[in-house]
Amino acid sequence: MEGFKAKFRLVTVVVLSIGIALVAIYDLLKPITNGCAMTYMYPTYIPISATEGLSSSKYGLYLYHEGWKQIDFNEHLKQLNGVPVLFIPGNGGSYKQVRSLAAESDRAYQGGPPEPMLYQEASLTLEGVEMDDINVPIFNQYKRRLDWFAVDLEGEHSAMDGQILEEHTEYVVYAIHRILDQYKESRDARVKEGGVESSSLPNSVILVGHSMGGFVARAAVVHPNLRKSAVETILTLSAPHQSPPLALQPSLGHYYEYINQKWRKGYEVQTSRAVPQLSSVIVISISGGGNDYQIRTKLESVDGIVPSTNGFMISSMGVKNVWLSMEHQVILWCNQLVVQVSHTLLSLVDPETGHPISGTRKRLTVFTKMLQSGMPQSLLRQSDRRQQLPHHPLQKERNNPGSEKKDFPACPSKIQWSVEGLERDLYIKTPTVTILAMDGRRRWLDIKELGSNGRTNFVLVTNLLPCYGIRLHLWPEKGTSGSDLPLNKRVVEVTSKIVQIPSGPAPRQIEPGSQTEQPPPSAVFWLDTKDMNGFRFLTISVAPSPTVSGRPPPAASMAVGQFFNPNEGRKEFSPKSLLRSMYSQKDIFIKEDHPIVMDITFSISLGLLPVTVSLVTTGCGIKNSGLPVEEAGDIDNGKLCKLRCFPPVALARDPTSGLHIFPNLYSRTIEVDSSPALWTFQGSEKTNVLLLVDPHCSYKSSVAVSLTSAGRRFMLLYNSQIIGLSFAVVLFALMRQANAWELDLPVPSLLSAVETNLRVPLPFLLLTICPILIALLYSCLNPKSFPRVGSFFVVAMICYLIANGTVIILILTTLILSHAVAGIHVFFKTRWRWRILDTSTSFFSFKVLRVINANPSLATSLLAIALVCFVHPALGLLILVLSHVLCCHHALCSYFTASSKARTEDFYGFGNGGKSSIFKSDKSEEGLSGDENSSNSPDSAKSYGDTQLEIFHHRHGLLILHLLSLLMFLPSLVAWLERLSMGHNFPWFLDSVLCMGVVLHGICDSKPEFNVFFQIPGMRGYEIRQGFVYLVAGYCCYLAGLDLAPYKAFYAMATIGAVSFFFRILERNRRSGEVYYSSRKHSHRH
């Protein structure tokens, strides 16, 4: 029965791992509709000559020119007088990717700033205080164009190797200096030809980096050779700032930590009078959102690296006039984003100096107003608002109403229509007001009457443009103000509080004058208790419909507003209900006359469990369509309701990725690009979603977790964690093998050891809960990053199970291959052994092979260490893995031969005392070199076959561990091979040292009897043994996985190797005839 349970555990873990992987792959392969428009251009790339003595001559620098006409490069360079911008491509990117940004920047410069839409703009908020006193220049034409440069980094994969990343940084520093020098050369050339120059030379370059190019830009800023103030503005697109996308190589992770630490110190004040080194540098990070599968938004955040006074991160879904999530490469050519970025960079140019604005706050304000939405953050925090706002009627909150005029900008005077020219006023008696046409009327809403019974908030959704199509005013009550100003002077126009939101596709008008479907809202207007405090009336003025001779009337216009109670329309989905929705959906019916705002709270972040929300219109107050019964059918709930109900809109705000808006929400999967359940996660893991739905209509809604999206999100978020935990799984299995040897038990196979560690409760809980508790204890000491215990624990356990499944699949694959190869080898050997023996005898007679045969471990270690130090670490690890493969193959062949009673000597010396073995020597070896396929335990009395099987199990465990190490360096090896023809550089010292430790671990611990490190002084009989060391190393790898830094597993393995080597040397020196190898407690077998 125990055998069945063991197999059941293994099968369950493997099925879970494969199932989640297949679901994730299925969703990843589905096509993505991003809604981006293509950008077109006529590119020309002008090479910039390199200076003499440049070390990185393989790279290049280019200047972009937009236009189809052929130009003279030298003459064009002479006229260089714009604002320099340097584009840095990312991993495997090309300098030609600058073309979309550069082309749209040229068109934006020629076309001038866009027409203001008069929506509410975002304001710069520093430490919770809005900075409204910063004036941003407004002009009709940009002062100076942008000169776009781009570095050609040969398409190298900088995300795979830290050394490549450092070389790119050094060349970018050179490129910045070369660009600034080029402007001086161009001006000198113009002066030499008789030109008059009045403008000053630029002293800084704006850096724009994509993917890894964004990190290279930041690394260049803190490079010691960079000129002072040469870079003050950095804009990154889908760039990982916190850590590499896959932190596999130690040097890559270390380089990230080094650069980020220098940035943190750069913003610190060293002395009371000193100015921080990076105080004038701002960093703006734009992420691609959930559709960017390569870089998660959490990695693109600059929190903890750049203070809020010098930068921020914004998702492309929250960028004004964009509102789209896009893939990793699409962000470079998505026209909506490229146009907005171009106008933003042009707005940085000071109209007086012609150079980028010098003030840090002013530059940050430009980015804030041009990129961020004006949506107030409090709009999506209804839970907090309900706790803070009083629930008594509005009129009781007034204190000298109308005495203080609210400071809201009014509509520009150039707009022709005014409220005085409107037709007769309408007085609304219901909390809900509806506008279906531009009728030129003003509607009065009594705040005191309509805002009673807890309806303390007012929301209006519309597709009318503020000021051009609709205006809103707050009017104080007559006779209640102590001010001497007349009533019309105390009226406050609040039209500027209308916030733009993305609208879905507008309905098409079939014929002039025909009624169309209700158009989607493009703006939302929100007033809370504080905004309406002191006022009695709210007026909504609608402009008259424009009439143009010979043209059809405009499409349908709409506006729906309502006074509502924030406590109504609430719905919270608990973790239990969300998990239940995976297999059982429950419909929720929303009746007519419901609140226009439905506040939905999800207890589990939609970044972990995305949900599919479905809204079906079931009614809209139409009792009879007037059509014959045979023609009506379901038209009442279909076409006719679409003419009356505006399409629903969902708004979600995530603390990591920001604002997400989903228009036309009839059936759609809602997800936010957050990273919950991580060790370093900050903030609430709940997701709050506001649904704006037409109060005239009834709906049947359903919410269900999307399994495919959840699987994709899980693998994208926690793949680094799974990789780190895989090392822990193997080390825990090696611990089990070492403990079995110490207790005089048969050394279990690696598969059996993994299965034993999965047994509940003791082994599993001991190995999984202890590291999690250590992580939580560390978080208690650092309260800024304390995770939510429940989700953190569950996700860590699932990742550990998937890591076990991954290791099990790898073990089974290698077992099947090794058994198949060994079986074939033994089969052919027993039939043609004399012929093979003659051939092998002559082959192994070579002197070099005889030396290797006599010292296999020493030869393996020397070759592996040489490759690790002087060529590439992956090659040295490959030699180590091959030595494990050969040893496992030899041991398995010996076991098969012994089991079949064929113990006669053959060309490999299988059987008793073979003397032609390549791996076996006549003399017992000590220290580093040892017999690869025999046990030197002095009182070993087990059978030959059992010995070979135990050796196979032991070396197979080392094989899996070091194979994982090799796989960690494979991306770096691929990048190294691609650039091999450009020259050879020695590996990074850190990589070489750590991989040397891994090699020493594979050589020094190649035998199971190497089990004692040292005895504890003063405690007779207590020793630090291999099993305990593997346990500690496994815990370290577990914590490295939780920290999303799997490369730190190399520190644990290298430490084991260094300590093993040290004690092997001590052991060899103090041995004076007495063997000090660890002996089993019972040496005989029954």
Side-chain angles (χ1 to χ4, degrees):
M1 188 62 183
E2 183 61 31
F4 172 77
K5 289 182 178 180
K7 294 179 181 178
F8 178 77
R9 275 190 291 268
L10 295 178
V11 171
T12 301
V13 172
V14 171
V15 169
L16 173 67
S17 305
I18 295 178
I20 294 178
L22 291 178
V23 168
I25 293 174
Y26 169 78
D27 198 77
L28 286 171
L29 295 179
K30 290 195 302 185
I32 299 176
T33 304
N34 51 47
C36 285
M38 181 64 73
T39 303
Y40 298 93
M41 69 294 294
Y42 298 94
T44 301
Y45 305 96
I46 304 173
I48 305 297
S49 60
T51 57
E52 297 182 359
L54 177 64
S55 59
S56 301
S57 58
K58 58 184 177 181
Y59 302 136
L61 178 63
Y62 291 87
L63 171 66
Y64 181 90
H65 170 71
E66 173 66 16
W68 57 272
K69 293 184 179 180
Q70 188 174 3
I71 61 173
D72 183 88
F73 289 175
N74 294 328
E75 290 297 325
H76 184 79
L77 287 176
K78 287 181 182 179
Q79 305 304 320
L80 199 63
N81 64 347
V83 176
V85 183
L86 177 61
F87 173 77
I88 308 171
N91 179 54
S94 168
Y95 68 96
K96 295 182 179 180
Q97 292 174 325
V98 71
R99 56 186 180 269
S100 296
L101 284 165
E104 285 300 336
S105 296
D106 187 73
R107 297 189 188 103
Y109 172 76
Q110 297 178 11
E115 186 72 18
M117 302 296 291
L118 303 179
Y119 291 107
Q120 179 175 344
E121 291 185 339
S123 58
L124 179 62
T125 303
L126 300 179
E127 298 179 357
V129 180
E130 293 187 358
M131 301 296 176
D132 293 330
D133 57 338
I134 302 177
N135 296 322
V136 178
I138 300 176
F139 33 80
N140 298 324
Q141 182 61 41
Y142 294 121
K143 175 67 175 180
R144 189 169 292 183
R145 69 170 66 246
L146 301 179
D147 293 329
W148 283 87
F149 296 83
V151 288
D152 179 15
L153 301 177
E154 296 292 337
E156 295 180 340
H157 291 85
S158 53
M160 299 181 179
D161 191 274
Q163 192 171 27
I164 297 177
L165 204 60
E166 187 180 31
E167 292 180 6
H168 287 183
T169 301
E170 293 176 353
Y171 184 78
V172 166
V173 172
Y174 158 79
I176 295 171
H177 296 164
R178 183 68 187 89
I179 290 171
L180 296 176
D181 294 340
Q182 181 62 50
Y183 278 86
K184 184 177 183 304
E185 295 174 7
S186 299
R187 190 185 68 168
D188 293 343
R190 292 194 299 269
V191 172
K192 186 176 181 180
E193 295 179 356
V196 178
E197 294 293 332
S198 58
S199 60
S200 59
L201 291 173
N203 55 8
S204 66
V205 179
I206 299 175
L207 300 185
V208 177
H210 171 246
S211 187
M212 297 300 294
F215 178 78
V216 170
R218 287 201 306 109
V221 172
V222 294
H223 196 278
N225 296 335
L226 184 70
R227 298 175 188 172
K228 186 178 181 180
S229 302
V231 175
E232 293 185 340
T233 303
I234 300 176
L235 175 66
T236 64
L237 304 173
S238 293
H241 293 289
Q242 298 291 338
S243 64
L246 275 179
L248 303 179
Q249 188 189 26
S251 61
L252 183 61
H254 174 75
Y255 190 61
Y256 254 86
E257 293 180 353
Y258 170 73
I259 295 299
N260 287 341
Q261 186 61 29
K262 291 194 70 173
W263 270 78
R264 295 185 186 100
K265 290 184 178 180
Y267 288 109
E268 295 177 355
V269 179
Q270 304 297 333
T271 62
S272 58
R273 296 183 179 180
V275 178
Q277 177 186 358
L278 302 178
S279 60
S280 62
V281 181
I282 66 172
V283 181
I284 308 299
S285 175
I286 301 179
S287 70
N291 286 344
D292 188 349
Y293 295 162
Q294 298 186 34
I295 311 293
R296 273 76 61 204
T297 299
K298 176 179 173 56
L299 300 182
E300 300 170 78
S301 173
V302 293
D303 293 343
I305 302 174
V306 179
S308 60
T309 56
N310 291 75
F312 58 84
M313 189 275 294
I314 183 172
S315 171
S316 59
M317 287 197 71
V319 174
K320 189 166 58 176
N321 300 327
V322 181
W323 318 109
L324 297 171
S325 178
M326 53 199 69
E327 299 96 304
H328 191 63
Q329 298 296 333
V330 173
I331 199 171
L332 286 171
W333 58 259
C334 181
N335 190 257
Q336 293 93 322
L337 180 66
V338 167
V339 169
Q340 194 67 22
V341 169
S342 299
H343 284 288
T344 302
L345 294 178
L346 285 167
S347 300
L348 289 175
V349 182
D350 193 328
E352 297 180 359
T353 64
H355 299 301
I357 301 172
S358 58
T360 302
R361 284 192 176 180
K362 189 171 290 188
R363 271 181 288 136
L364 197 61
T365 302
V366 171
F367 278 109
T368 301
K369 292 185 179 297
M370 294 295 294
L371 296 179
Q372 292 186 1
S373 167
M375 186 77 65
Q377 295 187 4
S378 59
L379 181 65
L380 298 175
R381 296 177 181 173
Q382 290 302 298
S383 299
D384 297 336
R385 292 162 64 91
R386 283 189 293 270
Q387 296 174 4
Q388 296 173 2
L389 296 179
H391 298 287
H392 43 78
L394 257 172
Q395 61 269 24
K396 294 183 180 180
E397 298 179 13
R398 299 196 307 268
N399 183 13
N400 195 14
S403 60
E404 294 183 3
K405 184 176 178 179
K406 306 288 184 179
D407 187 17
F408 295 116
C411 291
S413 57
K414 65 179 181 179
I415 299 178
Q416 299 298 323
W417 75 283
S418 62
V419 295
E420 286 76 11
L422 298 177
E423 298 183 15
R424 66 183 182 89
D425 295 345
L426 298 177
Y427 293 89
I428 307 301
K429 299 299 183 181
T430 60
T432 303
V433 57
T434 304
I435 302 170
L436 297 178
M438 298 181 70
D439 53 9
R441 293 186 174 182
R442 176 168 55 189
R443 291 157 174 82
W444 289 78
L445 291 85
D446 191 332
I447 298 176
K448 179 179 178 180
E449 178 182 348
L450 302 180
S452 58
N453 298 325
R455 295 190 291 264
T456 58
N457 285 251
F458 178 81
V459 167
L460 176 80
V461 294
T462 181
N463 72 332
L464 298 173
L465 289 176
C467 296
Y468 295 97
I470 189 172
R471 289 183 174 181
L472 298 101
H473 297 79
L474 287 172
W475 297 69
E477 189 173 4
K478 296 181 180 179
T480 61
S481 175
S483 175
D484 296 332
L485 294 174
L487 180 63
N488 59 346
K489 297 296 184 180
R490 288 184 278 118
V491 175
V492 177
E493 183 171 6
V494 290
T495 309
S496 60
K497 287 182 66 66
I498 297 179
V499 180
Q500 182 185 16
I501 61 174
S503 60
R508 302 178 62 181
Q509 193 172 18
I510 301 175
E511 59 185 23
S514 65
Q515 187 176 4
T516 64
E517 297 178 2
Q518 192 74 277
S522 60
V524 60
F525 173 80
W526 189 296
L527 290 177
D528 58 14
T529 305
K530 295 180 180 179
D531 295 326
M532 294 184 289
N533 183 27
F535 296 95
R536 176 63 185 269
F537 296 99
L538 169 67
T539 59
I540 304 174
S541 305
V542 180
S545 177
T547 56
V548 181
S549 176
R551 294 187 180 181
S557 304
M558 59 78 63
V560 178
Q562 185 188 64
F563 285 93
F564 73 98
N565 186 346
N567 293 322
E568 298 178 356
R570 294 181 57 192
K571 176 66 178 177
E572 183 170 357
F573 288 90
S574 63
K576 184 178 180 180
S577 60
L578 283 175
L579 296 176
R580 191 189 305 118
S581 68
M582 293 182 180
Y583 56 86
S584 176
Q585 297 186 19
K586 184 178 179 181
D587 294 334
I588 302 173
F589 293 92
I590 304 175
K591 299 180 180 180
E592 297 177 9
D593 298 325
H594 55 77
I596 190 173
V597 177
M598 308 296 294
D599 186 5
I600 303 178
T601 302
F602 297 91
S603 300
I604 301 179
S605 172
L606 298 187
L608 179 59
L609 293 181
V611 297
T612 300
V613 178
S614 176
L615 284 173
V616 179
T617 307
T618 58
C620 51
I622 301 176
K623 305 301 181 183
N624 187 6
S625 63
L627 296 176
V629 178
E630 61 273 8
E631 298 180 11
D634 295 331
I635 194 170
D636 290 349
N637 299 335
K639 277 189 173 181
L640 294 182
C641 286
K642 285 187 176 180
L643 299 177
R644 184 169 186 181
C645 310
F646 68 80
V649 180
L651 299 92
R653 185 184 294 276
D654 179 74
T656 301
S657 55
L659 180 66
H660 298 70
I661 304 179
F662 305 90
N664 288 23
L665 187 75
Y666 288 113
S667 180
R668 186 170 179 178
T669 299
I670 298 180
E671 69 176 55
V672 297
D673 194 18
S674 63
S675 301
L678 291 178
W679 191 358
T680 56
F681 183 79
Q682 299 180 14
S684 174
E685 292 188 359
K686 293 184 178 181
T687 300
N688 182 254
V689 177
L690 292 186
L691 285 180
L692 302 178
V693 288
D694 199 314
H696 303 98
C697 307
S698 59
Y699 300 91
K700 181 180 72 172
S701 64
S702 62
V703 176
V705 173
S706 175
L707 284 176
T708 57
S709 299
R712 168 177 55 82
R713 292 290 305 170
F714 191 91
M715 296 304 294
L716 290 177
L717 290 175
Y718 307 114
N719 52 44
S720 296
Q721 186 167 323
I722 294 173
I723 294 173
L725 296 183
S726 298
F727 282 93
V729 170
V730 179
L731 288 170
F732 291 155
L734 292 177
M735 173 203 69
R736 186 69 58 184
Q737 289 183 336
N739 291 341
W741 174 271
E742 169 60 24
L743 297 176
D744 196 20
L745 298 174
V747 176
S749 66
L750 194 65
L751 188 64
S752 177
V754 171
E755 181 276 325
T756 303
N757 291 334
L758 288 174
R759 294 179 183 177
V760 179
L762 189 56
F764 181 77
L765 296 181
L766 176 65
L767 299 178
T768 57
I769 292 183
C770 285
I772 297 177
L773 294 179
I774 294 174
L776 293 177
L777 179 61
Y778 178 81
S779 298
C780 291
L781 303 177
N782 183 21
K784 292 184 179 181
S785 60
F786 192 82
R788 185 178 176 184
V789 178
S791 59
F792 176 65
F793 180 82
V794 172
V795 168
M797 297 285 281
I798 295 176
C799 290
Y800 182 74
L801 291 176
I802 296 177
N804 275 272
T806 304
V807 172
I808 291 171
I809 294 173
L810 187 61
I811 292 173
L812 290 175
T813 303
T814 54
L815 281 177
I816 292 173
L817 290 177
S818 59
H819 279 71
V821 173
I824 294 173
H825 186 183
V826 172
F827 174 79
F828 282 99
K829 178 196 61 169
T830 55
R831 282 160 176 76
W832 292 285
R833 61 179 180 179
W834 295 112
R835 187 178 304 174
I836 296 176
L837 180 61
D838 294 338
T839 306
S840 62
T841 302
S842 59
F843 177 75
F844 290 117
S845 61
F846 292 103
K847 184 175 181 180
V848 175
L849 294 178
R850 287 201 307 270
V851 174
I852 296 177
N853 185 29
N855 302 279
S857 297
L858 181 60
T860 300
S861 60
L862 291 179
L863 178 59
I865 291 176
L867 293 175
V868 160
C869 295
F870 301 106
V871 185
H872 194 276
L875 298 179
L877 295 177
L878 178 62
I879 297 299
L880 179 64
V881 169
L882 290 178
S883 70
H884 292 325
V885 170
L886 291 176
C887 183
C888 289
H889 176 72
H890 189 127
L892 197 58
C893 289
S894 299
Y895 172 72
F896 286 164
T897 305
S899 300
S900 61
K901 308 300 183 181
R903 303 245 179 141
T904 56
E905 182 178 335
D906 48 70
F907 88 106
Y908 273 129
F910 297 144
N912 296 326
K915 298 186 179 182
S916 59
S917 169
I918 183 175
F919 293 108
K920 192 170 183 179
S921 62
D922 296 332
K923 182 180 178 181
S924 297
E925 297 170 351
E926 302 174 355
L928 284 177
S929 61
D931 191 345
E932 300 285 341
N933 288 79
S934 64
S935 175
N936 288 340
S937 181
D939 40 353
S940 177
K942 52 187 177 297
S943 66
Y944 177 80
D946 293 339
T947 301
Q948 297 303 312
L949 186 61
E950 288 190 351
I951 291 175
F952 171 78
H953 290 162
H954 175 72
R955 291 300 288 265
H956 185 239
L958 296 179
L959 168 64
I960 297 298
L961 180 65
H962 297 146
L963 180 59
L964 289 175
S965 305
L966 173 61
L967 294 177
M968 293 273 282
F969 269 95
L970 273 187
S972 175
L973 179 63
V974 172
W976 177 78
L977 292 174
E978 288 180 349
R979 64 200 305 260
L980 190 59
S981 59
M982 302 179 186
H984 172 69
N985 293 324
F986 290 110
W988 269 32
F989 180 75
L990 178 64
D991 291 338
S992 298
V993 170
L994 294 179
C995 288
M996 282 178 56
V998 175
V999 171
L1000 292 176
H1001 171 232
I1003 299 301
C1004 296
D1005 296 325
S1006 59
K1007 294 183 180 182
E1009 57 263 25
F1010 291 150
N1011 199 25
V1012 177
F1013 275 150
F1014 60 91
Q1015 293 184 349
I1016 300 178
M1019 301 181 66
R1020 187 184 181 101
Y1022 290 91
E1023 301 169 327
I1024 300 298
R1025 295 185 174 271
Q1026 192 81 32
F1028 177 77
V1029 175
Y1030 281 143
L1031 176 64
V1032 175
Y1035 280 170
C1036 293
C1037 293
Y1038 202 118
L1039 294 175
L1042 295 179
D1043 196 29
L1044 301 184
Y1047 68 89
K1048 293 181 180 179
F1050 280 94
Y1051 292 96
M1053 292 186 293
T1055 301
I1056 296 176
V1059 174
S1060 298
F1061 177 75
F1062 177 73
F1063 283 105
R1064 292 291 86 79
I1065 296 298
L1066 290 182
E1067 175 185 322
R1068 182 175 182 178
N1069 292 335
R1070 68 168 172 256
R1071 287 170 62 189
S1072 57
E1074 180 185 357
V1075 179
Y1076 191 71
Y1077 291 133
S1078 170
S1079 60
R1080 300 188 174 194
K1081 295 180 179 179
H1082 305 285
S1083 60
H1084 61 278
R1085 296 273 176 86
H1086 299 283

